[in-house]
Amino acid sequence: MKKNFYIRSALSVILLMHSVVSIFSGDVNDFGRLYLDTIGFSPFGIYLAWAVKLIHLFSIFLIWSDRCVKVVSIPNMFILTLGIYFLHWQNGWYVVGGGANGIEFNVLLICCFLQLFFTDYHSEKMHKRSS
């Protein structure tokens, strides 16, 4: 079984749903134009929104193929941190319950990516080859 199987599974589903659904619904374009452009990223808002979604989408395949796991964790943690700063911080901690649209989900995802980042994948592959 791959290391961090359950974290990989959860992250893959979350990244898939977060990217594919917004791409097909057109929400990624609205997020770029109607939000990012209005908070100072104009005229690059739509490009940034698409970059975020494509990073999430390509991350799924890299995480599952044990390729560039550490490298792909960094931009995802950066995106999630910016999401906290620009979108969720003003709403407090809770996503639901004690509030709405807060930072708790992003914090959990960042911790999952930190676990992937600090897991040693390479040495296990080398150990299997040598035995």
Side-chain angles (χ1 to χ4, degrees), residues 78-122:
F78 183 69
I79 290 166
L80 292 164
T81 302
L82 290 178
I84 288 172
Y85 180 77
F86 286 111
L87 294 170
H88 303 292
W89 187 260
Q90 67 270 13
N91 298 315
W93 177 257
Y94 298 102
V95 173
V96 295
N101 205 24
I103 68 170
E104 69 178 326
F105 191 62
N106 280 37
V107 170
L108 177 61
L109 292 175
I110 290 168
C111 289
C112 290
F113 277 111
L114 282 169
Q115 179 64 44
L116 291 183
F117 186 83
F118 287 110
T119 297
D120 187 15
Y121 297 97
H122 194 72

Side-chain angles (χ1 to χ4, degrees), residues 45-65:
I46 195 163
Y47 303 112
L48 290 172
W50 273 98
V52 166
K53 297 305 173 186
L54 292 175
I55 287 169
H56 287 334
L57 193 59
F58 290 121
S59 295
I60 297 164
F61 303 108
L62 294 172
I63 288 169
W64 274 105
S65 64

